[in-house]
Amino acid sequence: MIERLYVDNFRCLVNFTLDLADRPSALLIGKNGAGKSTVLESLKLFQRICRGAGRVGGLISASDFTQNRTDRPMRFEVDAKLENKRFKYGVAFEWPTGFREARILDETLEVDGVAVFTRDQSKVQLVGGPAFGIDWHIFALPVINEPPGEQAIRVMKRFFAEMILIAPIPANMTGFSQEESTELEPDAANYASCLRALLAQKPAAYTVFDSHIKAVVTDFSSIENVARGESGTQLVVKFAQETAPRGLSVEYKALSDGEKCFFLSAYIIASNTVASPVFCMWDEPDNHLSLSEVGQFITGLRKMTNRSGQFIATTHHPETVRKFSDETTLVLARESHLEPVVVSSLAGFSYGGDLINALIRNEIIG
């Protein structure tokens, strides 16, 4: 899982380090504009590279440099522990005067402290292999072919491509799919495609999915894909009770926003249980839930980390805050829009009485 994220000169993040080592779950809190969503966007950069993004221009704009400071490099680094090995990938960008888009200054990948490849501007050096030239605006990671038997790049690309980095828009989650997918989109619009792939590849996932949903939606009976057109399918949810065994069938798109989020969390938990460990960062997962549902919802996602997954949340909701300890809560703050973000563990703050009341009184995040 991810142990460290370093970002410099990207929007409000300057010389910023997010320490996630020994934190299978963590909560990011802070005022609006404190950088919580920018952390999510930083992780999306790695994801888009590993999903095959070719050119820098589609990912980085001049306005992404902190206060438009294109006179100094923008840098991203991530440390992750995958399959009992430690991976470190870094990439830096520059925007020379007169250029229309950013270009890559350097790019490196290390596994267990040993370089797999290094890059200086347009020159890529495979360690123990040849050097080759590459367009300054093209990422090296997606185009390198490993020697037979080597899998470091494949392992890393798969992990980052399949990270779940979401701020769901339930209205976009219609339940219709035309093909399977293992890469959930940020708004979760392709949820049906991902669930379809999971159940086809790992049928045992349905038992976990079913159990999680029934714990929170007591009249849930089943969910199935019903054929629509030549290749499409539509998720249909069935509800039933002992007094009404024939039940009710509802297309997924007709569920409430909160119910869609419960079904989404069930997919995440089932994936983590029967497939590869899941890294999930969910921006305000409590957005569409009633007050009484938040605690159980967050607890379910945190419990999945007992099976080697990792769950990161951002929130303004008091019930979500209460489900994390001071040690697993990270406070993001900055004094003004002209100042960079500072991140600190909540355990290092002194506050009086109840945490929520202290937050309301601005004793912690200011």
Side-chain angles (χ1 to χ4, degrees), residues 241-288:
Q241 294 178 337
E242 291 183 5
T243 56
R246 293 185 62 183
L248 173 69
S249 296
V250 178
E251 289 193 355
Y252 186 83
K253 62 184 178 183
L255 297 177
S256 71
D257 289 353
E259 287 173 324
K260 288 180 180 179
C261 289
F262 272 117
F263 278 85
L264 175 57
S265 70
Y267 159 76
I268 295 169
I269 292 168
S271 296
N272 188 72
T273 302
V274 305
S276 301
V278 169
F279 176 90
C280 173
M281 182 169 179
W282 193 326
D283 193 10
E284 299 188 15
D286 40 51
N287 252 354
H288 305 283

Tab-separated table of all heavy atoms in Angstrom, residues 241-288:
chain	number	residue	atom	x	y	z
A	241	GLN	N	-39.441	-9.479	1.374
A	241	GLN	CA	-39.679	-9.709	2.794
A	241	GLN	C	-40.475	-11.000	2.942
A	241	GLN	O	-41.071	-11.505	1.977
A	241	GLN	CB	-40.472	-8.547	3.416
A	241	GLN	CG	-39.730	-7.221	3.446
A	241	GLN	CD	-40.585	-6.107	4.032
A	241	GLN	OE1	-41.813	-6.190	4.018
A	241	GLN	NE2	-39.927	-5.090	4.555
A	242	GLU	N	-40.492	-11.526	4.155
A	242	GLU	CA	-41.269	-12.743	4.380
A	242	GLU	C	-42.739	-12.516	4.086
A	242	GLU	O	-43.442	-13.413	3.630
A	242	GLU	CB	-41.093	-13.212	5.826
A	242	GLU	CG	-39.694	-13.733	6.135
A	242	GLU	CD	-39.581	-14.255	7.544
A	242	GLU	OE1	-40.617	-14.294	8.242
A	242	GLU	OE2	-38.465	-14.624	7.951
A	243	THR	N	-43.218	-11.315	4.345
A	243	THR	CA	-44.632	-11.015	4.106
A	243	THR	C	-44.912	-10.668	2.645
A	243	THR	O	-46.058	-10.563	2.253
A	243	THR	CB	-45.080	-9.840	4.992
A	243	THR	OG1	-44.221	-8.713	4.731
A	243	THR	CG2	-44.972	-10.207	6.459
A	244	ALA	N	-43.845	-10.452	1.881
A	244	ALA	CA	-44.016	-10.126	0.455
A	244	ALA	C	-42.931	-10.848	-0.336
A	244	ALA	O	-42.000	-10.234	-0.848
A	244	ALA	CB	-43.938	-8.622	0.238
A	245	PRO	N	-43.017	-12.197	-0.409
A	245	PRO	CA	-41.940	-12.979	-1.029
A	245	PRO	C	-41.724	-12.675	-2.506
A	245	PRO	O	-40.629	-12.894	-3.017
A	245	PRO	CB	-42.395	-14.426	-0.818
A	245	PRO	CG	-43.890	-14.340	-0.626
A	245	PRO	CD	-44.115	-13.044	0.089
A	246	ARG	N	-42.730	-12.195	-3.198
A	246	ARG	CA	-42.544	-11.874	-4.621
A	246	ARG	C	-41.668	-10.639	-4.775
A	246	ARG	O	-40.989	-10.471	-5.772
A	246	ARG	CB	-43.896	-11.657	-5.306
A	246	ARG	CG	-44.740	-12.917	-5.394
A	246	ARG	CD	-45.992	-12.674	-6.176
A	246	ARG	NE	-45.702	-12.282	-7.544
A	246	ARG	CZ	-46.624	-11.947	-8.438
A	246	ARG	NH1	-47.917	-11.936	-8.092
A	246	ARG	NH2	-46.284	-11.609	-9.663
A	247	GLY	N	-41.688	-9.784	-3.780
A	247	GLY	CA	-40.772	-8.661	-3.710
A	247	GLY	C	-40.977	-7.587	-4.759
A	247	GLY	O	-42.019	-7.479	-5.400
A	248	LEU	N	-39.909	-6.816	-4.922
A	248	LEU	CA	-39.917	-5.657	-5.803
A	248	LEU	C	-38.604	-5.603	-6.559
A	248	LEU	O	-37.534	-5.775	-5.972
A	248	LEU	CB	-40.091	-4.379	-4.964
A	248	LEU	CG	-39.964	-3.037	-5.684
A	248	LEU	CD1	-41.145	-2.831	-6.637
A	248	LEU	CD2	-39.887	-1.905	-4.663
A	249	SER	N	-38.649	-5.379	-7.865
A	249	SER	CA	-37.455	-5.237	-8.689
A	249	SER	C	-37.292	-3.778	-9.089
A	249	SER	O	-38.237	-3.150	-9.587
A	249	SER	CB	-37.544	-6.107	-9.945
A	249	SER	OG	-37.572	-7.476	-9.598
A	250	VAL	N	-36.087	-3.228	-8.855
A	250	VAL	CA	-35.819	-1.814	-9.129
A	250	VAL	C	-34.532	-1.706	-9.925
A	250	VAL	O	-33.511	-2.307	-9.551
A	250	VAL	CB	-35.677	-1.024	-7.810
A	250	VAL	CG1	-35.352	0.443	-8.087
A	250	VAL	CG2	-36.946	-1.144	-6.974
A	251	GLU	N	-34.552	-0.947	-11.011
A	251	GLU	CA	-33.307	-0.705	-11.736
A	251	GLU	C	-32.382	0.150	-10.859
A	251	GLU	O	-32.830	1.030	-10.134
A	251	GLU	CB	-33.573	-0.002	-13.068
A	251	GLU	CG	-34.236	-0.899	-14.093
A	251	GLU	CD	-34.200	-0.306	-15.500
A	251	GLU	OE1	-33.745	0.846	-15.651
A	251	GLU	OE2	-34.632	-1.002	-16.443
A	252	TYR	N	-31.094	-0.124	-10.966
A	252	TYR	CA	-30.115	0.533	-10.111
A	252	TYR	C	-30.216	2.054	-10.181
A	252	TYR	O	-30.063	2.736	-9.165
A	252	TYR	CB	-28.706	0.078	-10.512
A	252	TYR	CG	-27.615	0.585	-9.611
A	252	TYR	CD1	-27.309	-0.058	-8.422
A	252	TYR	CD2	-26.888	1.733	-9.936
A	252	TYR	CE1	-26.308	0.403	-7.589
A	252	TYR	CE2	-25.886	2.200	-9.100
A	252	TYR	CZ	-25.604	1.540	-7.935
A	252	TYR	OH	-24.619	2.012	-7.105
A	253	LYS	N	-30.494	2.585	-11.365
A	253	LYS	CA	-30.543	4.041	-11.524
A	253	LYS	C	-31.659	4.671	-10.709
A	253	LYS	O	-31.639	5.884	-10.439
A	253	LYS	CB	-30.700	4.409	-12.993
A	253	LYS	CG	-31.981	3.909	-13.647
A	253	LYS	CD	-32.008	4.237	-15.124
A	253	LYS	CE	-33.253	3.697	-15.804
A	253	LYS	NZ	-33.234	3.960	-17.267
A	254	ALA	N	-32.641	3.860	-10.271
A	254	ALA	CA	-33.771	4.392	-9.512
A	254	ALA	C	-33.520	4.397	-8.009
A	254	ALA	O	-34.343	4.914	-7.251
A	254	ALA	CB	-35.028	3.583	-9.821
A	255	LEU	N	-32.393	3.838	-7.562
A	255	LEU	CA	-32.076	3.860	-6.136
A	255	LEU	C	-31.756	5.280	-5.681
A	255	LEU	O	-31.415	6.151	-6.484
A	255	LEU	CB	-30.873	2.960	-5.854
A	255	LEU	CG	-31.023	1.462	-6.149
A	255	LEU	CD1	-29.706	0.756	-5.865
A	255	LEU	CD2	-32.150	0.850	-5.340
A	256	SER	N	-31.815	5.509	-4.382
A	256	SER	CA	-31.447	6.815	-3.843
A	256	SER	C	-29.935	6.992	-3.921
A	256	SER	O	-29.181	6.023	-4.094
A	256	SER	CB	-31.897	6.931	-2.388
A	256	SER	OG	-31.087	6.098	-1.561
A	257	ASP	N	-29.474	8.219	-3.795
A	257	ASP	CA	-28.032	8.491	-3.839
A	257	ASP	C	-27.299	7.736	-2.737
A	257	ASP	O	-26.221	7.175	-2.954
A	257	ASP	CB	-27.778	9.993	-3.703
A	257	ASP	CG	-28.205	10.772	-4.935
A	257	ASP	OD1	-28.574	10.138	-5.942
A	257	ASP	OD2	-28.162	12.029	-4.888
A	258	GLY	N	-27.875	7.728	-1.539
A	258	GLY	CA	-27.242	7.034	-0.433
A	258	GLY	C	-27.174	5.537	-0.654
A	258	GLY	O	-26.167	4.894	-0.348
A	259	GLU	N	-28.245	4.954	-1.206
A	259	GLU	CA	-28.244	3.516	-1.479
A	259	GLU	C	-27.178	3.164	-2.513
A	259	GLU	O	-26.494	2.146	-2.399
A	259	GLU	CB	-29.625	3.080	-1.967
A	259	GLU	CG	-30.677	3.060	-0.874
A	259	GLU	CD	-32.063	2.789	-1.406
A	259	GLU	OE1	-32.386	3.262	-2.526
A	259	GLU	OE2	-32.845	2.126	-0.710
A	260	LYS	N	-27.020	4.004	-3.510
A	260	LYS	CA	-25.979	3.752	-4.516
A	260	LYS	C	-24.595	3.738	-3.870
A	260	LYS	O	-23.731	2.930	-4.241
A	260	LYS	CB	-26.037	4.808	-5.618
A	260	LYS	CG	-27.241	4.677	-6.546
A	260	LYS	CD	-27.237	5.760	-7.610
A	260	LYS	CE	-28.438	5.627	-8.536
A	260	LYS	NZ	-28.455	6.687	-9.575
A	261	CYS	N	-24.378	4.607	-2.888
A	261	CYS	CA	-23.086	4.639	-2.201
A	261	CYS	C	-22.868	3.378	-1.371
A	261	CYS	O	-21.744	2.874	-1.282
A	261	CYS	CB	-22.985	5.888	-1.330
A	261	CYS	SG	-22.818	7.426	-2.292
A	262	PHE	N	-23.934	2.839	-0.766
A	262	PHE	CA	-23.807	1.582	-0.037
A	262	PHE	C	-23.425	0.448	-0.990
A	262	PHE	O	-22.574	-0.387	-0.670
A	262	PHE	CB	-25.110	1.248	0.683
A	262	PHE	CG	-25.200	1.840	2.058
A	262	PHE	CD1	-26.163	2.772	2.367
A	262	PHE	CD2	-24.306	1.454	3.054
A	262	PHE	CE1	-26.247	3.325	3.634
A	262	PHE	CE2	-24.374	1.995	4.326
A	262	PHE	CZ	-25.346	2.935	4.622
A	263	PHE	N	-24.033	0.397	-2.163
A	263	PHE	CA	-23.699	-0.634	-3.135
A	263	PHE	C	-22.266	-0.453	-3.645
A	263	PHE	O	-21.558	-1.432	-3.897
A	263	PHE	CB	-24.695	-0.610	-4.294
A	263	PHE	CG	-25.972	-1.340	-3.999
A	263	PHE	CD1	-27.012	-0.697	-3.330
A	263	PHE	CD2	-26.135	-2.657	-4.366
A	263	PHE	CE1	-28.192	-1.364	-3.038
A	263	PHE	CE2	-27.319	-3.342	-4.075
A	263	PHE	CZ	-28.357	-2.697	-3.411
A	264	LEU	N	-21.836	0.794	-3.767
A	264	LEU	CA	-20.466	1.067	-4.183
A	264	LEU	C	-19.479	0.592	-3.120
A	264	LEU	O	-18.455	-0.033	-3.428
A	264	LEU	CB	-20.293	2.564	-4.446
A	264	LEU	CG	-18.894	3.069	-4.792
A	264	LEU	CD1	-18.333	2.345	-6.020
A	264	LEU	CD2	-18.928	4.587	-5.034
A	265	SER	N	-19.772	0.849	-1.857
A	265	SER	CA	-18.875	0.403	-0.782
A	265	SER	C	-18.825	-1.117	-0.720
A	265	SER	O	-17.774	-1.699	-0.427
A	265	SER	CB	-19.318	0.984	0.562
A	265	SER	OG	-20.529	0.410	1.013
A	266	ALA	N	-19.941	-1.778	-1.013
A	266	ALA	CA	-19.963	-3.242	-1.013
A	266	ALA	C	-19.049	-3.793	-2.098
A	266	ALA	O	-18.364	-4.808	-1.905
A	266	ALA	CB	-21.386	-3.749	-1.214
A	267	TYR	N	-19.022	-3.122	-3.245
A	267	TYR	CA	-18.113	-3.535	-4.324
A	267	TYR	C	-16.652	-3.395	-3.881
A	267	TYR	O	-15.828	-4.287	-4.117
A	267	TYR	CB	-18.373	-2.685	-5.571
A	267	TYR	CG	-17.207	-2.654	-6.539
A	267	TYR	CD1	-16.931	-3.733	-7.365
A	267	TYR	CD2	-16.366	-1.534	-6.608
A	267	TYR	CE1	-15.852	-3.715	-8.232
A	267	TYR	CE2	-15.285	-1.507	-7.475
A	267	TYR	CZ	-15.038	-2.598	-8.284
A	267	TYR	OH	-13.957	-2.579	-9.135
A	268	ILE	N	-16.320	-2.279	-3.226
A	268	ILE	CA	-14.953	-2.027	-2.782
A	268	ILE	C	-14.521	-3.080	-1.771
A	268	ILE	O	-13.430	-3.663	-1.859
A	268	ILE	CB	-14.826	-0.614	-2.190
A	268	ILE	CG1	-15.076	0.442	-3.280
A	268	ILE	CG2	-13.456	-0.411	-1.551
A	268	ILE	CD1	-15.225	1.855	-2.751
A	269	ILE	N	-15.384	-3.360	-0.797
A	269	ILE	CA	-15.059	-4.327	0.252
A	269	ILE	C	-14.928	-5.730	-0.331
A	269	ILE	O	-14.010	-6.487	0.019
A	269	ILE	CB	-16.126	-4.277	1.359
A	269	ILE	CG1	-16.017	-2.931	2.097
A	269	ILE	CG2	-15.981	-5.444	2.329
A	269	ILE	CD1	-17.177	-2.630	3.015
A	270	ALA	N	-15.818	-6.099	-1.245
A	270	ALA	CA	-15.749	-7.421	-1.877
A	270	ALA	C	-14.481	-7.557	-2.715
A	270	ALA	O	-13.825	-8.602	-2.710
A	270	ALA	CB	-16.989	-7.658	-2.740
A	271	SER	N	-14.104	-6.502	-3.427
A	271	SER	CA	-12.876	-6.529	-4.232
A	271	SER	C	-11.665	-6.764	-3.351
A	271	SER	O	-10.783	-7.557	-3.675
A	271	SER	CB	-12.708	-5.206	-4.993
A	271	SER	OG	-13.744	-5.015	-5.922
A	272	ASN	N	-11.626	-6.074	-2.229
A	272	ASN	CA	-10.486	-6.194	-1.326
A	272	ASN	C	-10.422	-7.578	-0.681
A	272	ASN	O	-9.344	-8.064	-0.364
A	272	ASN	CB	-10.575	-5.120	-0.239
A	272	ASN	CG	-9.334	-5.055	0.623
A	272	ASN	OD1	-8.292	-4.604	0.172
A	272	ASN	ND2	-9.442	-5.507	1.864
A	273	THR	N	-11.570	-8.214	-0.516
A	273	THR	CA	-11.634	-9.503	0.159
A	273	THR	C	-11.191	-10.655	-0.737
A	273	THR	O	-10.446	-11.543	-0.310
A	273	THR	CB	-13.062	-9.774	0.670
A	273	THR	OG1	-13.453	-8.720	1.555
A	273	THR	CG2	-13.139	-11.105	1.413
A	274	VAL	N	-11.629	-10.660	-1.993
A	274	VAL	CA	-11.386	-11.831	-2.849
A	274	VAL	C	-10.371	-11.586	-3.958
A	274	VAL	O	-9.910	-12.532	-4.583
A	274	VAL	CB	-12.706	-12.333	-3.483
A	274	VAL	CG1	-13.740	-12.621	-2.417
A	274	VAL	CG2	-13.258	-11.311	-4.486
A	275	ALA	N	-10.021	-10.322	-4.205
A	275	ALA	CA	-9.057	-10.008	-5.268
A	275	ALA	C	-7.815	-9.375	-4.640
A	275	ALA	O	-7.467	-9.648	-3.500
A	275	ALA	CB	-9.692	-9.093	-6.313
A	276	SER	N	-7.134	-8.519	-5.385
A	276	SER	CA	-5.936	-7.857	-4.869
A	276	SER	C	-6.312	-6.827	-3.812
A	276	SER	O	-7.406	-6.249	-3.864
A	276	SER	CB	-5.187	-7.171	-6.013
A	276	SER	OG	-4.816	-8.109	-6.997
A	277	PRO	N	-5.422	-6.544	-2.838
A	277	PRO	CA	-5.708	-5.496	-1.856
A	277	PRO	C	-6.022	-4.174	-2.536
A	277	PRO	O	-5.377	-3.794	-3.509
A	277	PRO	CB	-4.418	-5.413	-1.041
A	277	PRO	CG	-3.799	-6.766	-1.177
A	277	PRO	CD	-4.135	-7.207	-2.575
A	278	VAL	N	-7.013	-3.489	-2.025
A	278	VAL	CA	-7.515	-2.259	-2.641
A	278	VAL	C	-6.984	-1.039	-1.909
A	278	VAL	O	-7.001	-0.986	-0.667
A	278	VAL	CB	-9.056	-2.242	-2.615
A	278	VAL	CG1	-9.593	-0.870	-2.998
A	278	VAL	CG2	-9.611	-3.301	-3.567
A	279	PHE	N	-6.512	-0.052	-2.672
A	279	PHE	CA	-6.267	1.279	-2.117
A	279	PHE	C	-7.438	2.156	-2.535
A	279	PHE	O	-7.716	2.317	-3.724
A	279	PHE	CB	-4.973	1.891	-2.644
A	279	PHE	CG	-4.748	3.303	-2.148
A	279	PHE	CD1	-4.058	3.533	-0.974
A	279	PHE	CD2	-5.259	4.399	-2.843
A	279	PHE	CE1	-3.877	4.832	-0.495
A	279	PHE	CE2	-5.080	5.700	-2.375
A	279	PHE	CZ	-4.388	5.917	-1.200
A	280	CYS	N	-8.134	2.703	-1.561
A	280	CYS	CA	-9.297	3.554	-1.850
A	280	CYS	C	-9.144	4.894	-1.151
A	280	CYS	O	-8.946	4.951	0.065
A	280	CYS	CB	-10.582	2.868	-1.381
A	280	CYS	SG	-12.068	3.912	-1.512
A	281	MET	N	-9.232	5.972	-1.917
A	281	MET	CA	-9.379	7.308	-1.346
A	281	MET	C	-10.710	7.857	-1.809
A	281	MET	O	-10.961	7.985	-3.006
A	281	MET	CB	-8.248	8.246	-1.758
A	281	MET	CG	-8.389	9.626	-1.103
A	281	MET	SD	-6.935	10.680	-1.303
A	281	MET	CE	-7.512	12.171	-0.427
A	282	TRP	N	-11.561	8.156	-0.838
A	282	TRP	CA	-12.947	8.574	-1.122
A	282	TRP	C	-13.118	9.989	-0.568
A	282	TRP	O	-13.029	10.214	0.630
A	282	TRP	CB	-13.915	7.603	-0.466
A	282	TRP	CG	-15.345	7.722	-0.909
A	282	TRP	CD1	-16.009	8.842	-1.270
A	282	TRP	CD2	-16.296	6.645	-0.996
A	282	TRP	NE1	-17.305	8.555	-1.586
A	282	TRP	CE2	-17.517	7.213	-1.434
A	282	TRP	CE3	-16.239	5.280	-0.745
A	282	TRP	CZ2	-18.668	6.436	-1.614
A	282	TRP	CZ3	-17.395	4.515	-0.933
A	282	TRP	CH2	-18.583	5.082	-1.365
A	283	ASP	N	-13.359	10.928	-1.448
A	283	ASP	CA	-13.554	12.324	-1.071
A	283	ASP	C	-14.974	12.511	-0.549
A	283	ASP	O	-15.944	12.395	-1.292
A	283	ASP	CB	-13.303	13.225	-2.286
A	283	ASP	CG	-13.163	14.693	-1.915
A	283	ASP	OD1	-13.069	15.000	-0.716
A	283	ASP	OD2	-13.143	15.535	-2.839
A	284	GLU	N	-15.103	12.732	0.752
A	284	GLU	CA	-16.368	12.936	1.446
A	284	GLU	C	-17.340	11.780	1.203
A	284	GLU	O	-18.387	11.940	0.576
A	284	GLU	CB	-16.980	14.287	1.052
A	284	GLU	CG	-16.080	15.465	1.419
A	284	GLU	CD	-16.747	16.813	1.225
A	284	GLU	OE1	-17.976	16.866	1.076
A	284	GLU	OE2	-16.028	17.821	1.225
A	285	PRO	N	-17.024	10.583	1.715
A	285	PRO	CA	-17.886	9.416	1.507
A	285	PRO	C	-19.244	9.522	2.180
A	285	PRO	O	-20.159	8.754	1.868
A	285	PRO	CB	-17.059	8.272	2.128
A	285	PRO	CG	-16.165	8.946	3.111
A	285	PRO	CD	-15.834	10.276	2.505
A	286	ASP	N	-19.384	10.461	3.103
A	286	ASP	CA	-20.631	10.612	3.850
A	286	ASP	C	-21.604	11.598	3.212
A	286	ASP	O	-22.655	11.898	3.770
A	286	ASP	CB	-20.301	11.088	5.269
A	286	ASP	CG	-19.174	12.124	5.263
A	286	ASP	OD1	-19.266	13.114	4.502
A	286	ASP	OD2	-18.182	11.923	5.980
A	287	ASN	N	-21.270	12.121	2.045
A	287	ASN	CA	-22.047	13.193	1.413
A	287	ASN	C	-23.533	12.890	1.285
A	287	ASN	O	-24.374	13.779	1.436
A	287	ASN	CB	-21.491	13.499	0.017
A	287	ASN	CG	-20.754	14.817	-0.031
A	287	ASN	OD1	-20.743	15.559	0.950
A	287	ASN	ND2	-20.122	15.104	-1.143
A	288	HIS	N	-23.878	11.652	0.963
A	288	HIS	CA	-25.262	11.338	0.593
A	288	HIS	C	-25.964	10.456	1.621
A	288	HIS	O	-27.015	9.886	1.317
A	288	HIS	CB	-25.269	10.646	-0.777
A	288	HIS	CG	-24.582	11.432	-1.851
A	288	HIS	ND1	-25.162	12.524	-2.465
A	288	HIS	CD2	-23.347	11.310	-2.403
A	288	HIS	CE1	-24.319	13.025	-3.351
A	288	HIS	NE2	-23.222	12.311	-3.334
